[in-house]
Amino acid sequence: MIRLILLFLLTGLALPAAAQQTQCHLPERLSVAACDSRSRDGQDAAARGTPGDFDFYVLALSWSPAFCEQARDRAGVDLQCRRNRFGFVVHGLWPQYGPGKASGWPQFCTPTAPVPEATLRRALCLMPSEKLVQCEWAKHGTCSDQPTPDAYIDKIQRLMSTLILPDFSKGGSQTVGEIADAFIKANSGKTLTAAHLRIDLTRDGKLEDVRICYEKRLNQFQACGQTVSGFDPADPRDRGRRVLIRAMAPS
């Protein structure tokens, strides 16, 4: 039997983070295989850094329709791209270095056991892939100031509960600045500005990720600075960049 979690889609221009999917179906059994990113060709899998030794966090939100368009024939995407209909999902919560370090972020800071099934089940309606949860914990979570996968997922859930996400479900074309402005307007009164955001695109110019920078305690936003990749909506050279937004599939 499939476990069904109903999440109500609210009307209007902005949606609470939990309402970016109309419903979330989880299978009865989940895979708890450890992250295998280190064995994949072409990936930077070198361990570097020390847990807790970083400068700020990046919350990366992935636009699921763009991912599913590219990954529809890939194995392991059934939960995200076939069973469910998602808008923004969590790509990860990344410890980040400020200027002056040899790399932009720490990764794979300590060896770790696989994330247990109970923790996976708590995470999957925000991060809808067992492999994604496993690899985000192994690559980024082990470098955070959170001692366990449960604590790391708790931080992500807390951040997402405080965000209002703009409704891009109909797709279309917007500029980098307009996407940032939609996030700022949706979260008015929360001190979010363009300097706290980065917009990342696919190779063919579609919205891929929105990255939000937070100070290390996760109590307030922080300017992303030069170490966070993506288009900078506070930079006039990037602000007018045209972005295609893939529409969510009909329910």
Side-chain angles (χ1 to χ4, degrees):
M1 176 181 288
I2 294 175
R3 179 184 177 190
L4 175 63
I5 302 175
L6 294 177
L7 298 173
F8 297 98
L9 182 64
L10 304 183
T11 59
L13 296 178
L15 299 169
Q20 283 284 306
Q21 66 269 22
T22 55
Q23 54 190 11
C24 182
H25 301 264
L26 298 184
E28 185 175 349
R29 293 184 179 180
L30 303 175
S31 168
V32 293
C35 176
D36 64 353
S37 284
R38 295 195 193 207
S39 65
R40 293 181 62 183
D41 293 337
Q43 290 204 5
D44 176 12
R48 58 175 180 258
T50 302
D53 182 16
F54 60 96
D55 296 308
F56 62 100
Y57 275 109
V58 176
L59 177 66
L61 304 176
S62 174
W63 183 242
S64 187
F67 170 81
C68 291
E69 179 184 31
Q70 294 179 327
R72 56 178 172 258
D73 298 324
R74 193 184 303 174
V77 300
D78 186 64
L79 191 152
Q80 179 169 352
C81 300
R82 300 184 186 96
R83 288 179 180 266
N84 296 290
R85 178 175 174 264
F86 293 104
F88 282 108
V89 298
V90 175
H91 184 168
L93 179 63
W94 304 337
Q96 191 81 14
Y97 292 140
K101 298 289 179 67
S103 60
W105 61 88
Q107 62 179 27
F108 297 111
C109 286
T110 60
T112 185
V115 176
E117 182 173 351
T119 307
L120 282 175
R121 197 167 290 279
R122 288 202 304 118
L124 280 175
C125 285
L126 288 175
M127 304 173 71
S129 161
E130 296 104 308
K131 181 177 180 180
L132 175 65
V133 177
Q134 295 287 0
C135 289
E136 288 300 303
W137 165 250
K139 183 175 182 178
H140 299 289
T142 59
C143 300
S144 72
D145 51 6
Q146 303 306 306
T148 65
D150 265 320
Y152 180 67
I153 296 303
D154 283 345
K155 288 293 185 182
I156 292 172
Q157 290 178 327
R158 182 176 71 81
L159 284 181
M160 291 300 286
S161 72
T162 68
L163 281 176
I164 303 294
L165 302 180
D167 182 7
F168 295 150
S169 61
K170 295 181 180 179
S173 175
Q174 296 191 33
T175 65
V176 164
E178 288 169 341
I179 292 170
D181 289 346
F183 271 82
I184 293 166
K185 181 179 179 181
N187 293 276
S188 60
K190 298 180 182 178
T191 71
L192 182 65
T193 72
H196 305 137
L197 297 166
R198 291 291 183 272
I199 312 299
D200 200 33
L201 310 183
T202 63
R203 291 182 179 179
D204 56 352
K206 294 185 176 71
L207 176 63
E208 184 171 39
D209 275 7
V210 174
R211 296 169 183 170
I212 307 174
C213 299
Y214 289 86
E215 53 83 36
K216 191 172 182 179
R217 292 174 297 174
L218 294 171
N219 291 327
Q220 60 187 18
F221 302 111
Q222 171 167 317
C224 294
Q226 298 180 349
T227 64
V228 181
S229 62
F231 289 93
D232 180 358
D235 187 334
R237 296 170 296 180
D238 289 351
R239 187 170 177 81
R241 172 73 181 239
R242 183 62 58 179
V243 181
L244 298 176
I245 302 175
R246 176 77 173 175
M248 291 176 66
S251 56

